[in-house]
Amino acid sequence: MSHRLTTLYVPRDAAALSVGADAVAAAIRAEASRRGLPLRIVRNGSRGMLWLEPLVEVATDAGRVAYGAVTPADVPSLFDAGFLTGGPHPLGQGLTEEIPFFKKQERLTFARCGVIDPLSVEDYRAHGGFRGLENALAMTPAEIVATVTESGLRGRGGAGFPTGVKWNTVLNAEADEKFVCCNADEGDSGTFADRMMIEGDPFCLIEGMTIAALAVGATAGYVYMRSEYPHATETLRHAIRLAYDEGWLGENIHGTDRTFHLEARVGAGAYICGEETAMLESLEGKRGMVRAKPPLPALQGLFGKPTVVNNVLSLCAVPIILDRGADYYRDFGVGRSRGTLPFQLAGNIRQGGIVEKAFGVTLHELLYEYGGGTISGRPIRAVQVGGPLGAYLPPAQFDLRKDYEAFAAQGAMLGHGGIVVFDDTVNMARQARFAMEFCAIESCGKCTPCRIGSTRGVEVIDKIIAGQDVDDNLALLDDLCEVMLDGSLCAMGGMTPFPVRSAIKHFGEDFRPTTASPSATGIRAGDAP
């Protein structure tokens, strides 16, 4: 008796691996062999519904049907239930595309993540891959830059600087050599979009960087990977080799006179190397320390040459812009914040994962409609948006729309789109201390306000928590924040005051031990992002 060959998808994303995806794939193979059922397992990236990982998908005539979270012990019962044809099971989630968390998203950058085999050029091309690059190969550099500028794409990091403006600066710079550098040192707490993108759709980054190179006249590029991402680094390096084999990288790209060489480099584990000039120092083989600006990296970057420095999400937005056009991308979003951003829900959240939405979505929608509230079942007291240098926001600001200018007006930032959730057991004085301590540990030490200010900040907050001269020390802390804000060489020291001041502003009772919650006497579970 012959059986139809069924295709299953079991993610090899690091989040899925951490909860046993390899063991699940092995158990499925063994059970299918025992039952004499032929099947093909594709190790895809994650769809981003991390609370359902490992999420096993089965290709059926009606579409891909999802089951999660699957353990090896669940595998025999899945076969008994006929999951190879989409049969009902307690772990069944129905058609993947119809899962509410997933269905309501606007996936542009992450359109292929979890859908394709990350290391199949054929699969990538079948889902629209390299169309943007093909268009770019037929355009002049100025036309590419104009398209990116008209799209409204901004850097998906702290500043939200217009990508087209940066590229235009590099394009017009006179030099015998230019570079494109991707900052994949994703060190912010609660962020994992870069890792998911590289593990789930690495050719998208390669394509985006190659388009950037064509736009500015660069012939070489580097991806600066964080050392804590071994799976992503291995996947990217494999994808780069395949891209060379297929003629999408190297000399005479697809028969043209264009050249671009790409290499992945791994950092040594320093948060400060998320800052572009510290990253460039590290790429040059030096200690990762911030450079004074000017000169800007766009004029004197890697090895003193004009350099485009963008992060993963910025560069991965480029292929769809060159494929669908500037207007298509610009039609998403609000105000000066165009396109989409993959928001990352983490911390005390019931449904953590990636939510790609157009700018304009509110925190409330993300936290409750997608995140489902806290996993502890307690009320949300605060969220930190934008990493460890981002402000803490109270429920009164949950209707704030995700927009660069709207957040800046509240002394907050979108950053990389990370959202860390805390319930009502958190003590915000301890969180303010955590922010200062993080800066003290991660400072490169080049400037005094950051190096010394953060250390003094920890000492002052300790005195406040202990109830020593609270009013005087709060005033001293405010002065210290002002010095760090105005005097630091980069955002490391310059933005550490954001979480500290927001904690004092919105949760002032936690800084007065006599009136604070019981958790003021110690760190509660889940306090630190």
Side-chain angles (χ1 to χ4, degrees):
M1 177 179 176
S2 63
H3 294 278
R4 172 183 167 184
L5 180 68
T6 302
T7 299
L8 274 74
Y9 297 84
V10 182
R12 62 175 201 171
D13 175 271
L17 294 180
S18 73
V19 287
D22 278 349
V24 169
I28 290 173
R29 285 194 184 94
E31 190 68 18
S33 177
R34 189 177 70 81
R35 298 179 184 229
L37 299 174
L39 53 79
R40 180 174 75 103
I41 295 179
V42 175
R43 301 305 301 272
N44 57 324
S46 175
R47 296 272 193 160
M49 296 174 282
L50 299 186
W51 77 98
L52 291 176
E53 292 291 3
L55 183 76
V56 176
E57 295 180 80
V58 181
T60 72
D61 292 338
R64 278 158 65 165
V65 178
Y67 299 84
V70 178
T71 69
D74 297 317
V75 169
S77 67
L78 284 168
F79 276 88
D80 291 341
F83 88 124
L84 293 184
T85 55
H89 185 275
L91 297 181
Q93 305 294 326
L95 292 170
T96 309
E97 303 282 346
E98 296 298 317
I99 297 174
F101 181 96
F102 190 79
K103 185 178 182 180
K104 295 185 293 182
Q105 297 186 37
E106 285 112 28
R107 290 212 160 192
L108 303 185
T109 305
F110 274 74
R112 286 178 292 264
C113 264
V115 177
I116 65 171
D117 178 344
L119 293 173
S120 167
V121 176
E122 181 182 355
D123 217 359
Y124 182 68
R125 294 214 68 184
H127 289 81
F130 292 123
R131 288 203 304 238
L133 178 52
E134 287 175 331
N135 290 339
L137 286 167
M139 299 165 69
T140 66
E143 287 172 339
I144 299 172
V145 171
T147 300
V148 172
T149 303
E150 291 164 12
S151 74
L153 178 65
R154 295 166 69 172
R156 301 299 190 233
F161 190 79
T163 303
V165 173
K166 180 182 290 188
W167 287 19
N168 194 58
T169 304
V170 180
L171 170 63
N172 292 321
E174 295 289 337
D176 59 349
E177 189 175 23
K178 298 178 183 180
F179 297 99
V180 175
C181 291
C182 173
N183 195 334
D185 192 60
E186 185 178 46
D188 283 350
S189 46
T191 60
F192 43 87
D194 290 359
R195 177 192 59 73
M196 278 187 54
M197 191 71 204
I198 292 172
E199 292 180 6
D201 192 11
F203 293 115
C204 185
L205 177 58
I206 293 169
E207 182 179 3
M209 292 187 71
T210 307
I211 293 170
L214 298 179
V216 303
T219 55
Y222 297 91
V223 183
Y224 187 82
M225 297 293 298
R226 72 183 307 226
S227 60
E228 295 88 345
Y229 283 173
H231 298 99
T233 301
E234 181 184 355
T235 299
L236 180 61
R237 284 177 169 163
H238 191 169
I240 289 172
R241 290 194 296 271
L242 291 172
Y244 271 105
D245 292 342
E246 296 288 331
W248 293 108
L249 285 174
E251 307 286 336
N252 306 118
I253 296 172
H254 268 251
T256 68
D257 61 353
R258 310 294 183 88
T259 294
F260 183 58
H261 292 280
L262 184 60
E263 184 179 338
R265 294 282 180 88
V266 179
Y271 180 78
I272 195 63
C273 288
E275 197 277 338
E276 60 181 2
T277 63
M279 180 200 73
L280 293 174
E281 289 285 289
S282 180
L283 274 172
E284 292 178 5
K286 294 177 276 188
R287 179 179 176 183
M289 295 184 75
V290 174
R291 297 176 183 174
K293 291 185 283 189
L296 298 171
L299 298 175
Q300 293 181 38
L302 189 65
F303 304 116
K305 305 294 185 179
T307 304
V308 167
V309 181
N310 284 129
N311 66 19
V312 174
L313 297 183
S314 305
L315 290 161
C316 286
V318 169
I320 196 169
I321 293 170
L322 269 294
D323 177 17
R324 302 286 188 90
D327 291 349
Y328 175 83
Y329 194 80
R330 193 176 60 232
D331 284 347
F332 293 87
V334 294
R336 290 176 51 217
S337 302
R338 311 312 307 175
T340 62
L341 183 64
F343 298 102
Q344 296 126 90
L345 301 180
N348 193 336
I349 192 80
R350 192 162 69 88
Q351 296 182 167
I354 285 277
V355 180
E356 186 174 354
K357 291 288 290 182
F359 288 99
V361 65
T362 66
L363 263 176
H364 189 278
E365 289 175 76
L366 292 169
L367 295 171
Y368 294 101
E369 292 184 27
Y370 290 91
T374 63
I375 195 168
S376 65
R378 301 182 67 92
I380 297 177
R381 188 180 186 210
V383 296
Q384 187 176 32
V385 181
L389 308 181
Y392 291 105
L393 301 176
Q397 293 188 323
F398 287 179
D399 286 332
L400 192 61
R401 294 195 174 276
K402 290 288 195 172
D403 166 59
Y404 288 109
E405 280 65 44
F407 264 63
Q410 297 297 322
M413 69 167 182
L414 286 181
H416 199 55
I419 301 171
V420 179
V421 181
F422 303 86
D423 71 13
D424 61 354
T425 64
V426 69
N427 177 259
M428 296 308 295
R430 295 283 177 180
Q431 286 305 119
R433 186 191 189 281
F434 174 84
M436 278 291 186
E437 184 181 39
F438 183 85
C439 182
I441 293 169
E442 295 291 347
S443 172
C444 75
K446 189 163 187 176
C447 71
T448 303
C450 178
R451 182 182 72 250
I452 303 299
S454 53
T455 301
R456 296 290 88 85
V458 172
E459 295 168 356
V460 173
I461 295 174
D462 279 342
K463 291 177 181 178
I464 293 169
I465 292 173
Q468 298 176 22
D469 303 321
V470 172
D471 289 332
D472 289 346
N473 278 309
L474 281 170
L476 179 60
L477 182 60
D478 190 61
D479 285 347
L480 185 60
C481 284
E482 194 71 24
V483 171
M484 294 179 70
L485 191 66
D486 294 339
S488 296
L489 194 56
C490 81
M492 182 80 239
M495 294 185 69
T496 294
F498 283 24
V500 176
R501 283 180 157 176
S502 62
I504 295 170
K505 177 181 178 181
H506 301 300
F507 310 96
E509 65 273 17
D510 285 13
F511 291 81
R512 299 183 181 278
T514 55
T515 59
S517 63
S519 58
T521 58
I523 298 178
R524 296 291 294 267
D527 279 1

